[in-house]
Amino acid sequence: MEIIRSNFKINLHKVYQAIEEADFFAIDGEFSGISDGPSVTALTSGFDTPEERYQKLKKHSMDFLLFQFGLCAFKYDHTDSKHITKSFNFYVFPKPFSRSSPDVKFVCQSSSIDFLASQGFDFNKVFCSGIPYLNQEEERQLREQFDEKRSQANGAGALAKCPVTIPEDQRKFIDQVIEKIEDFLQNKEKKSLDLEPCTGFQRKLIYQTLSWKFPKGIHVETLETEKKERHIVISKVDEEERKRREQEKYAKEQEELNDAVGFSRVIHAIANSGKLVVGHNMLLDVMHTIHQFYCPLPADLKEFKEMTTCVFPRLLDTKLMASTQPFKDIINNTSLAELEKRLKETPFDPPKVESAEGFPSYDTASEQLHEAGYDAYITGLCFISMANYLGSLLGPPKMCVSARSKLIEPFFNKLFLMRVMDIPYLNLEGPDLQPKRDHVLHVTFPKEWKTSDLYQLFSAFGNIQISWIDDTSAFVSLSQPEQVQIAVNTSKYAESYRIQTYAEYVGKKQEDKQVKRKWTEDSWKEADRKQPKVSDPCSHTNSFAATGTTGKRNLSPDPGEAGSEDRESEEMSDSELEQIDSCADPFPEGRKKAKKLKRMKKELSLAGTVAESSAMLFEVPDTW
Amino acid sequence: MEIIRSNFKINLHKVYQAIEEADFFAIDGEFSGISDGPSVTALTSGFDTPEERYQKLKKHSMDFLLFQFGLCAFKYDHTDSKHITKSFNFYVFPKPFSRSSPDVKFVCQSSSIDFLASQGFDFNKVFCSGIPYLNQEEERQLREQFDEKRSQANGAGALAKCPVTIPEDQRKFIDQVIEKIEDFLQNKEKKSLDLEPCTGFQRKLIYQTLSWKFPKGIHVETLETEKKERHIVISKVDEEERKRREQEKYAKEQEELNDAVGFSRVIHAIANSGKLVVGHNMLLDVMHTIHQFYCPLPADLKEFKEMTTCVFPRLLDTKLMASTQPFKDIINNTSLAELEKRLKETPFDPPKVESAEGFPSYDTASEQLHEAGYDAYITGLCFISMANYLGSLLGPPKMCVSARSKLIEPFFNKLFLMRVMDIPYLNLEGPDLQPKRDHVLHVTFPKEWKTSDLYQLFSAFGNIQISWIDDTSAFVSLSQPEQVQIAVNTSKYAESYRIQTYAEYVGKKQEDKQVKRKWTEDSWKEADRKQPKVSDPCSHTNSFAATGTTGKRNLSPDPGEAGSEDRESEEMSDSELEQIDSCADPFPEGRKKAKKLKRMKKELSLAGTVAESSAMLFEVPDTW
């Protein structure tokens, strides 16, 4: 169901009802851009730490606009053993609510806009008919403005225990107003009196004077003429009528406030339900949703995690799920479109799904990819298929796995980390994996170097993976950690390039950071004590120009692609996995099936020393 | 004529022809936003210096996108005494030309987008069908890329006087390639050979090896498969065929380059014509046009003036013209729509205009305002009406004034300065007016203050004009310079606010600037000597939040509106003007008419001590 500004209010109860009934939701967002940095590849370096990745996305992605939001509510019908869906496609736009409301500026990225345009995206619908919204701070401010206006009207009465001081030059003007009103009050036929337009200051004087001179029996309000001039209208009312009018005005203000909060009300309802929210590669969707409809994102990752689990207590990322065992082995491509297709084939079973009455149904045969409502819908389908597959591995098999099943709990609150080589997900519920990276080198070189030069430099070391940092540096991971010291040693006398180990690099970065802090902050010791391990994840992205970099990279094969191919061959064997598995096996029956489930749980709970090996189970494909 | 990506190329010759034939052009641009600062009012302070205004617009407006460009070419048909118009409405969008081309990010301002949406603007046409463009630097880079690719292909041959060094691990691969090619060359039936896809580095090795091994008889090129994999194709050719292919490729590259330069070619043609370009309130149009299609704007105003007169040697702003005598007295509202209407009535004479064959005509009765092509069209009409009116004042009257007439020369290269109280225009051809501002006060106050508080504070001084700087300061101009010292004196003991003269304010700002420079720059003495008078015009806009400010101002009447009303009454009389007029009178006949023309010339050439009085002749309305 398409929801725009004009049909938002009359359909809001349907949205609320769908949220209330649902077992779980799937969501998806479309944005005006992905990254305002030099290039997506450079901003998603393969060896980002989760903190670095968060800082990069926060810095380089939050100025874009989330302008289409897809919500698909899934409810299981036990009688007919099918899922009933209610799918909504919301167009969202920060139309200024009034002259005094925020005038949001947002960034558009040509490539993203061009991509959406090629997919038939309707920009006119966003800009002409998008539903407005306010974040919590803006809502608070608007509420305060209304309260202030009201208390000004009431308060003027309360204040006016004594006559107001009228400036000399305004006295004649105010006297004339009073005279007019006295005439008006004696004229029994006239119900209301329009004063001449005047300045805001004069209106304030009139309000104050009248509430003192005529505390009862008249109602004073400011209206705008067609020419946008403000003038005061005075009408005769008894106390009851006055109260009625005030209540009417209050109700109208409340409605205006609700209209202004607009689409944020939908997000609040989803959040307040506490139900499972499923998304595909959903980190950016979650960040944008919180940033746009709640509040600016917090300064560090830890706070972001706290905020996110507070807003959305249960999130599940289908891209992470599909990249994890037991799915990893049988799913080659985890991009949403390919995943959806794959999950229609054996060993998967496409779920029985029907759209609720009054809701148009999507046809997955004729793809409508990149319409947020459709993407949310098929994300939900993917989740159901994968969850049911987990059920099928049980003995006896469970045909339908609910959104509350313990089987899917291991996937909760772990968001897929795009293109990070050895950390598959952001763990919202605790510390992140810390792979050792002892097979990784940090290389600096002249800015003329291309990917091929790096391949050539390391040609003696077999398969390598390159992960660009900026124009003059990259991480290079070797297939054998033993090769690392050889590479460092052979580079000792090189003039044009420099190689150091990952550990050396991190150490120097921390040092530089500390020195920098020493010089730039007055109370650097203080600051240092407070945040001993915070590094500056984006400082290295500032030094190069967009055009040059992009051009240069594209002359060579995509390092990301090459990387993921290599990784395939480095995967750990089943037996290796078994050795490090020390958890109790919760599935006593069906040896092979149970093993798969065990591996899945293992992967998602491994940390510390075995994290690196664990991470290798994940495929990190290049598609979004 | 609507021009989008798909019909740009086939219509470009029509555009060129129109430019070549025209007597003059009118232009107009539509943007994705006006100002990314806190509010337009704050960014266009009434007492900005031209340098400050330039810096503000440069800083706060250039990230928006000019996405619709209107061009209307006017050519006078002497036989039928009518103007023939060719009007073009270009949709412009920086669609990335290839993977290696710049991925432009631009800002949208919700209020501007919402305004255009309400005018029926078609955003889909911009984003889906906009004509691409490159600025000069991007064009140069792309040209270089093509040249480099070509010289790589040719140069490889030149370099390959000796065999290439093949890295150990690539030797087997290259040997296999050579073997394949030798087989291929001996096979008389096969015309071409597709090699397997390989890395960029491997392709480079193949190119180099082949140009040494097989300097003649084969043509080597890289193609992309459907899967976007790059592979090398080898074909047998004789020398003639090889040259033909290379020329073909070169021609294709030139075409691609031209396509990428796209809409910029239209701007280049306008610029190269050196003809008169008319616009309405055109400063932002000119800045955006140069910024988007030539190069980023220079650091200071002086350089901008040089650049602008170099690109567009003759500009004329109809808003400035309409705000200047003899028009000022008979034109109340200089907004484009109102001006167009006014110029249809006496004493003006709407020009006889017809659209050229094959060009759709606009109907000014059914307004299509804010479509750039239409706005350019009526801007041109306004110019003709006003120019002809100047001719009618001559004795004998001249009914049709050409774009080359001396009568309009006084208006050349003076761009209207929006909402500056005492400097009507930016003078592109020399130094700007420097009004004394000895009736202006600089006031600082608590951030709770509103316009009404300022009116109250100065209530003893009669009419005042308020010009906000930021949340806690404003310029207040009094009607009498004598009042200035009184106001400063009475404020000496005030605690909540502070009043200083304009001169004091400017002096302190310069001082602060110097101290700041002393602390922040290593070689401050150097820098200081180089730019002794550059001030920091935007530093004061950083301290307040958008929402609060906008809200606050809007509770009070618009200071701009109030200002322009006040100003009306302060205008100088004709006789006062006569006294300061010492120029030779170029129009001996028709006393009254000549006087009007004289006043016009006077106004536009006054400078130095009389600038302040001169400036008062201009009305500075609030409408764009």
Side-chain angles (χ1 to χ4, degrees):
Chain A
M1 180 178 279
E2 185 175 278
I3 311 273
I4 56 177
R5 198 186 305 148
S6 57
N7 70 351
F8 178 64
K9 228 153 129 179
I10 55 163
N11 284 307
L12 189 57
H13 72 280
K14 285 188 195 162
V15 181
Y16 283 159
Q17 201 190 340
I19 291 172
E20 180 146 355
E21 296 165 351
D23 296 320
F24 74 93
F25 318 111
I27 62 164
D28 181 61
E30 296 295 337
F31 316 110
S32 65
I34 300 292
S35 154
D36 71 354
S39 83
V40 176
T41 324
L43 283 169
T44 55
S45 165
F47 290 105
D48 280 340
T49 63
E51 175 78 38
E52 281 172 336
R53 177 59 60 87
Y54 171 69
Q55 298 297 349
K56 283 183 184 179
L57 294 178
K58 176 167 135 61
K59 181 172 173 188
H60 294 290
S61 293
M62 288 305 113
D63 288 339
F64 298 111
L65 189 69
L66 189 172
F67 50 29
Q68 198 183 50
F69 189 93
L71 168 67
C72 189
F74 288 80
K75 180 182 157 56
Y76 192 64
D77 177 346
H78 289 272
T79 327
D80 294 345
S81 308
K82 66 185 177 192
H83 295 268
I84 306 293
T85 63
K86 292 186 176 179
S87 181
F88 301 91
N89 194 39
F90 299 93
Y91 287 83
V92 177
F93 182 71
K95 179 184 164 73
F97 161 70
S98 73
R99 290 202 301 169
S100 62
S101 64
D103 188 3
V104 175
K105 284 104 195 172
F106 57 92
V107 176
C108 293
Q109 184 175 13
S110 311
S111 56
S112 300
I113 296 291
D114 185 47
F115 172 75
L116 287 173
S118 73
Q119 302 284 317
F121 189 87
D122 191 341
F123 297 97
N124 286 339
K125 222 167 245 173
V126 168
F127 296 147
C128 307
S129 313
I131 310 158
Y133 61 86
L134 295 179
N135 70 22
Q136 292 198 311
E137 173 60 17
E138 289 160 351
E139 179 182 346
R140 194 193 56 72
Q141 280 181 10
L142 186 60
R143 202 178 291 280
E144 226 172 68
Q145 266 179 44
F146 279 134
D147 288 351
E148 205 178 312
K149 255 170 82 185
R150 213 168 31 247
S151 79
Q152 218 177 14
N154 298 342
L159 264 173
K161 300 252 157 74
C162 58
V164 203
T165 319
I166 310 287
E168 195 58 47
D169 64 328
Q170 296 294 341
R171 221 164 269 175
K172 199 176 149 197
F173 172 79
I174 294 294
D175 284 347
Q176 282 172 345
V177 168
I178 294 173
E179 206 172 303
K180 266 189 196 165
I181 293 173
E182 278 169 347
D183 286 352
F184 161 66
L185 288 176
Q186 271 158 18
N187 182 335
K188 287 199 176 152
E189 277 161 34
K190 245 181 139 181
K191 292 264 174 190
S192 75
L193 170 69
D194 288 13
L195 298 181
E196 295 284 302
C198 59
T199 68
F201 177 56
Q202 289 174 323
R203 287 200 300 278
K204 193 176 164 189
L205 290 177
I206 295 174
Y207 267 98
Q208 290 173 340
T209 307
L210 297 194
S211 73
W212 166 70
K213 275 239 169 207
F214 310 99
K216 280 183 183 178
I218 61 167
H219 175 83
V220 188
E221 67 182 328
T222 301
L223 296 179
E224 239 180 30
T225 65
E226 278 178 13
K227 288 180 186 168
K228 301 273 171 194
E229 290 169 327
R230 289 174 178 207
H231 66 118
I232 284 180
V233 178
I234 294 169
S235 36
K236 292 174 199 162
V237 287
D238 56 22
E239 189 57 9
E240 204 175 309
E241 172 68 8
R242 201 187 55 76
K243 275 198 179 144
R244 199 192 56 75
R245 284 201 192 189
E246 232 148 63
Q247 274 164 6
E248 212 172 57
K249 204 177 161 192
Y250 179 75
K252 205 179 140 220
E253 276 174 7
Q254 285 305 309
E255 201 179 333
E256 277 178 27
L257 188 70
N258 278 337
D259 290 351
V261 176
F263 180 71
S264 301
R265 299 169 75 194
V266 173
I267 300 297
H268 300 164
I270 296 172
N272 294 341
S273 78
K275 290 177 182 173
L276 175 66
V277 177
V278 176
H280 190 81
N281 200 10
M282 72 194 302
L283 177 54
L284 262 184
D285 298 270
V286 169
M287 288 176 76
H288 267 287
T289 303
I290 291 178
H291 175 81
Q292 204 158 307
F293 307 116
Y294 277 90
C295 57
L297 295 179
D300 68 44
L301 177 60
K302 196 163 163 280
E303 285 172 80
F304 170 71
K305 289 180 177 184
E306 282 163 12
M307 181 180 284
T308 303
T309 47
C310 180
V311 174
F312 299 116
R314 265 180 281 178
L315 295 172
L316 185 146
D317 191 325
T318 46
K319 192 170 179 84
L320 179 76
M321 198 169 176
S323 315
T324 310
Q325 296 297 9
F327 303 105
K328 189 188 176 318
D329 279 350
I330 43 179
I331 294 171
N332 284 323
N333 187 329
T334 61
S335 76
L336 183 57
E338 293 302 317
L339 180 62
E340 193 267 331
K341 277 186 214 150
R342 176 69 189 88
L343 293 174
K344 280 177 176 162
E345 296 159 8
T346 41
F348 304 105
D349 209 11
K352 219 172 133 190
V353 181
E354 209 177 280
S355 64
E357 219 188 300
F359 285 79
S361 57
Y362 284 116
D363 178 11
T364 60
S366 67
E367 291 185 3
Q368 287 172 270
L369 277 170
H370 302 288
E371 193 220 68
Y374 178 78
D375 282 4
Y377 170 69
I378 62 171
T379 298
L381 297 189
C382 291
F383 165 67
I384 296 170
S385 285
M386 289 193 286
N388 287 348
Y389 177 71
L390 293 182
S392 76
L393 300 179
L394 292 180
K398 197 174 170 185
M399 291 323 291
C400 183
V401 174
S402 96
R404 278 176 220 82
S405 164
K406 284 225 170 295
L407 275 176
I408 54 165
E409 267 181 24
F411 296 101
F412 280 0
N413 296 331
K414 297 187 174 70
L415 306 188
F416 186 74
L417 276 180
M418 188 77 178
R419 293 201 195 94
V420 176
M421 295 204 180
D422 52 6
I423 311 176
Y425 59 83
L426 187 74
N427 181 20
L428 293 174
E429 284 179 338
D432 286 296
L433 299 173
Q434 289 198 307
K436 267 208 256 159
R437 297 185 174 173
D438 54 6
H439 60 306
V440 179
L441 296 168
H442 178 264
V443 191
T444 51
F445 40 80
K447 70 173 174 357
E448 291 74 23
W449 279 34
K450 292 170 190 164
T451 303
S452 55
D453 296 294
L454 284 170
Y455 277 123
Q456 189 164 15
L457 180 63
F458 289 94
S459 55
F461 295 89
N463 271 337
I464 60 163
Q465 283 171 259
I466 296 168
S467 188
W468 284 84
I469 300 168
D470 59 27
D471 229 16
T472 59
S473 65
F475 290 119
V476 173
S477 60
L478 307 179
S479 48
Q480 311 291 334
E482 304 84 65
Q483 299 173 329
V484 160
Q485 208 47 54
I486 305 171
V488 172
N489 291 344
T490 55
S491 80
K492 284 250 163 80
Y493 304 102
E495 279 181 12
S496 60
Y497 63 92
R498 219 179 105 227
I499 300 179
Q500 55 185 340
T501 65
Y502 181 79
E504 284 166 352
Y505 163 74
V506 171
K508 279 201 191 116
K509 213 169 136 188
Q510 299 275 16
E511 251 175 56
D512 288 356
K513 182 80 198 164
Q514 305 233 343
V515 171
K516 205 172 156 197
R517 206 179 280 137
K518 191 168 172 179
W519 286 100
T520 54
E521 285 179 28
D522 278 341
S523 55
W524 65 277
K525 281 181 191 171
E526 264 297 297
D528 214 41
R529 221 175 298 137
K530 274 182 201 154
Q531 337 178 291
K533 279 182 182 173
V534 175
S535 62
D536 184 1
C538 294
S539 61
H540 53 261
T541 61
N542 297 331
S543 57
F544 58 102
T547 323
T549 314
T550 323
K552 152 177 177 164
R553 302 259 160 89
N554 287 322
L555 295 174
S556 310
D558 187 330
E561 278 167 33
S564 66
E565 279 164 27
D566 294 345
R567 226 168 303 123
E568 287 286 353
S569 57
E570 283 170 46
E571 226 174 84
M572 292 185 85
S573 70
D574 270 17
S575 58
E576 280 175 295
L577 244 185
E578 287 295 298
Q579 281 166 23
I580 52 172
D581 182 358
S582 62
C583 287
D585 189 344
F587 310 104
E589 292 170 338
R591 183 80 192 109
K592 201 178 161 199
K593 288 177 179 177
K595 196 171 122 191
K596 283 191 180 177
L597 283 172
K598 207 161 55 174
R599 275 172 61 198
M600 170 197 97
K601 287 203 73 173
K602 179 96 311 239
E603 282 179 50
L604 293 167
S605 61
L606 283 172
T609 51
V610 288
E612 192 193 349
S613 331
S614 142
M616 284 191 169
L617 285 166
F618 291 88
E619 193 191 349
V620 188
D622 201 48
T623 46
W624 208 252
Chain B
M1 181 177 281
E2 186 175 278
I3 311 273
I4 56 178
R5 198 186 306 148
S6 57
N7 71 350
F8 177 64
K9 227 153 130 181
I10 55 163
N11 284 307
L12 189 57
H13 72 280
K14 286 189 194 162
V15 181
Y16 284 158
Q17 199 190 342
I19 292 172
E20 179 145 355
E21 296 165 351
D23 297 318
F24 74 94
F25 319 110
I27 62 162
D28 181 60
E30 296 295 335
F31 316 111
S32 65
I34 300 291
S35 154
D36 72 353
S39 83
V40 177
T41 326
L43 283 169
T44 55
S45 165
F47 290 105
D48 280 340
T49 64
E51 176 76 39
E52 281 172 335
R53 176 61 59 87
Y54 171 70
Q55 298 297 348
K56 283 184 186 180
L57 293 178
K58 176 168 135 58
K59 181 172 172 186
H60 294 289
S61 293
M62 288 306 112
D63 287 338
F64 298 111
L65 188 70
L66 190 170
F67 51 29
Q68 199 184 49
F69 189 92
L71 168 68
C72 189
F74 287 81
K75 179 182 159 56
Y76 192 65
D77 176 347
H78 289 273
T79 326
D80 294 343
S81 308
K82 67 183 176 194
H83 296 269
I84 306 293
T85 63
K86 292 185 177 180
S87 182
F88 301 92
N89 194 39
F90 299 93
Y91 286 83
V92 178
F93 181 72
K95 180 184 164 73
F97 161 69
S98 73
R99 289 201 301 169
S100 62
S101 63
D103 188 4
V104 175
K105 282 103 196 173
F106 58 92
V107 176
C108 293
Q109 185 175 15
S110 312
S111 57
S112 299
I113 295 290
D114 185 48
F115 172 76
L116 287 172
S118 73
Q119 302 284 317
F121 189 87
D122 192 341
F123 297 97
N124 286 338
K125 222 168 243 171
V126 168
F127 296 146
C128 307
S129 313
I131 310 157
Y133 60 86
L134 295 179
N135 70 21
Q136 291 196 312
E137 172 60 17
E138 290 159 350
E139 180 182 345
R140 194 193 56 72
Q141 279 180 11
L142 185 60
R143 202 178 291 278
E144 229 173 64
Q145 268 180 42
F146 279 135
D147 288 351
E148 204 178 312
K149 256 169 81 184
R150 212 170 29 250
S151 78
Q152 219 177 12
N154 299 341
L159 264 172
K161 300 253 157 77
C162 57
V164 201
T165 318
I166 310 286
E168 195 56 48
D169 64 328
Q170 297 294 341
R171 222 163 267 176
K172 198 176 150 197
F173 172 79
I174 295 294
D175 285 347
Q176 283 172 346
V177 168
I178 293 173
E179 206 172 304
K180 266 188 196 165
I181 294 173
E182 279 168 346
D183 286 352
F184 161 66
L185 288 176
Q186 271 158 21
N187 181 336
K188 286 197 174 149
E189 277 160 34
K190 243 179 141 183
K191 291 264 172 190
S192 74
L193 170 70
D194 289 14
L195 298 181
E196 294 285 300
C198 58
T199 69
F201 178 57
Q202 289 174 324
R203 287 200 301 278
K204 195 177 163 189
L205 289 177
I206 294 175
Y207 267 98
Q208 290 173 340
T209 307
L210 297 193
S211 73
W212 167 69
K213 276 239 168 206
F214 310 99
K216 278 183 181 178
I218 62 168
H219 174 82
V220 187
E221 68 181 328
T222 300
L223 296 178
E224 240 180 29
T225 64
E226 276 179 13
K227 287 180 187 169
K228 300 274 172 196
E229 289 169 327
R230 288 174 180 207
H231 67 117
I232 284 181
V233 177
I234 294 170
S235 35
K236 293 175 197 160
V237 287
D238 56 21
E239 188 60 7
E240 204 175 308
E241 172 68 6
R242 201 187 56 77
K243 276 197 180 147
R244 201 193 55 76
R245 284 201 192 188
E246 232 148 62
Q247 275 165 5
E248 211 171 57
K249 202 176 163 194
Y250 179 74
K252 205 179 141 219
E253 275 174 7
Q254 285 306 308
E255 201 179 334
E256 276 178 28
L257 188 70
N258 278 337
D259 290 351
V261 176
F263 180 71
S264 301
R265 298 170 74 192
V266 173
I267 300 297
H268 300 164
I270 297 173
N272 294 341
S273 78
K275 291 178 184 174
L276 176 65
V277 176
V278 176
H280 189 81
N281 199 11
M282 73 193 303
L283 177 54
L284 261 183
D285 298 88
V286 170
M287 288 176 75
H288 267 286
T289 302
I290 292 177
H291 175 80
Q292 203 158 308
F293 308 115
Y294 277 90
C295 57
L297 295 179
D300 69 44
L301 177 60
K302 196 163 163 282
E303 285 173 79
F304 169 72
K305 289 179 177 184
E306 283 163 12
M307 180 180 284
T308 303
T309 46
C310 180
V311 174
F312 299 115
R314 265 179 281 179
L315 295 172
L316 185 145
D317 192 327
T318 47
K319 190 169 179 87
L320 179 76
M321 198 169 177
S323 316
T324 310
Q325 296 299 8
F327 303 105
K328 187 187 177 319
D329 279 351
I330 43 180
I331 293 171
N332 284 323
N333 187 330
T334 61
S335 76
L336 183 58
E338 293 302 317
L339 180 62
E340 192 268 332
K341 278 186 213 151
R342 176 69 189 89
L343 294 174
K344 279 177 176 164
E345 295 158 10
T346 40
F348 303 105
D349 210 9
K352 219 174 133 190
V353 182
E354 210 177 278
S355 64
E357 218 188 302
F359 284 80
S361 58
Y362 284 116
D363 178 10
T364 59
S366 67
E367 291 184 4
Q368 286 171 270
L369 277 169
H370 301 288
E371 193 221 66
Y374 178 80
D375 282 4
Y377 170 70
I378 62 172
T379 298
L381 297 189
C382 290
F383 165 67
I384 297 170
S385 286
M386 289 192 286
N388 288 348
Y389 177 72
L390 292 181
S392 76
L393 301 179
L394 293 179
K398 195 171 176 196
M399 290 324 290
C400 184
V401 174
S402 96
R404 278 176 220 81
S405 165
K406 284 223 171 295
L407 275 177
I408 54 164
E409 267 181 22
F411 296 101
F412 281 0
N413 296 331
K414 296 185 175 71
L415 305 189
F416 187 73
L417 276 179
M418 187 80 178
R419 293 202 195 94
V420 176
M421 294 203 178
D422 52 6
I423 310 176
Y425 59 82
L426 186 74
N427 181 18
L428 292 175
E429 284 179 337
D432 286 296
L433 301 173
Q434 289 198 304
K436 267 207 258 159
R437 298 187 173 171
D438 54 5
H439 61 303
V440 180
L441 295 167
H442 178 264
V443 191
T444 49
F445 41 80
K447 71 173 172 2
E448 291 74 24
W449 279 35
K450 293 169 187 164
T451 303
S452 55
D453 296 295
L454 285 169
Y455 277 121
Q456 189 163 16
L457 180 63
F458 289 94
S459 55
F461 294 89
N463 273 336
I464 60 163
Q465 282 172 259
I466 296 168
S467 188
W468 284 86
I469 301 167
D470 60 26
D471 228 17
T472 59
S473 65
F475 290 119
V476 173
S477 61
L478 308 179
S479 47
Q480 312 290 336
E482 306 83 68
Q483 298 173 329
V484 160
Q485 209 46 55
I486 305 171
V488 172
N489 292 343
T490 56
S491 81
K492 285 252 163 77
Y493 305 102
E495 280 180 10
S496 60
Y497 63 92
R498 220 179 105 227
I499 300 180
Q500 55 186 340
T501 64
Y502 181 80
E504 285 166 349
Y505 163 74
V506 171
K508 279 200 190 117
K509 212 169 135 189
Q510 299 275 16
E511 252 176 56
D512 289 356
K513 182 78 198 164
Q514 305 231 344
V515 171
K516 206 171 153 195
R517 207 178 279 139
K518 191 169 172 178
W519 285 101
T520 54
E521 286 180 28
D522 277 341
S523 55
W524 66 277
K525 280 180 192 171
E526 264 299 295
D528 214 43
R529 221 176 297 138
K530 273 183 201 154
Q531 333 178 294
K533 277 181 183 175
V534 176
S535 62
D536 183 2
C538 294
S539 62
H540 53 262
T541 60
N542 297 330
S543 57
F544 58 101
T547 324
T549 314
T550 325
K552 152 178 178 164
R553 303 259 160 86
N554 286 322
L555 295 173
S556 311
D558 187 328
E561 277 168 35
S564 65
E565 279 165 26
D566 294 348
R567 226 167 303 121
E568 286 286 352
S569 57
E570 282 169 48
E571 225 174 86
M572 292 185 85
S573 69
D574 270 16
S575 57
E576 280 175 295
L577 244 183
E578 288 296 297
Q579 283 166 21
I580 52 172
D581 181 358
S582 62
C583 287
D585 189 344
F587 310 104
E589 292 171 340
R591 183 82 191 107
K592 203 179 159 196
K593 287 177 179 178
K595 196 171 121 189
K596 283 191 179 177
L597 281 173
K598 206 162 55 177
R599 274 172 60 197
M600 171 197 96
K601 287 204 71 172
K602 179 95 308 244
E603 282 180 50
L604 291 169
S605 60
L606 282 172
T609 51
V610 287
E612 192 191 352
S613 330
S614 143
M616 285 193 171
L617 285 165
F618 291 87
E619 194 191 348
V620 188
D622 200 47
T623 46
W624 208 254

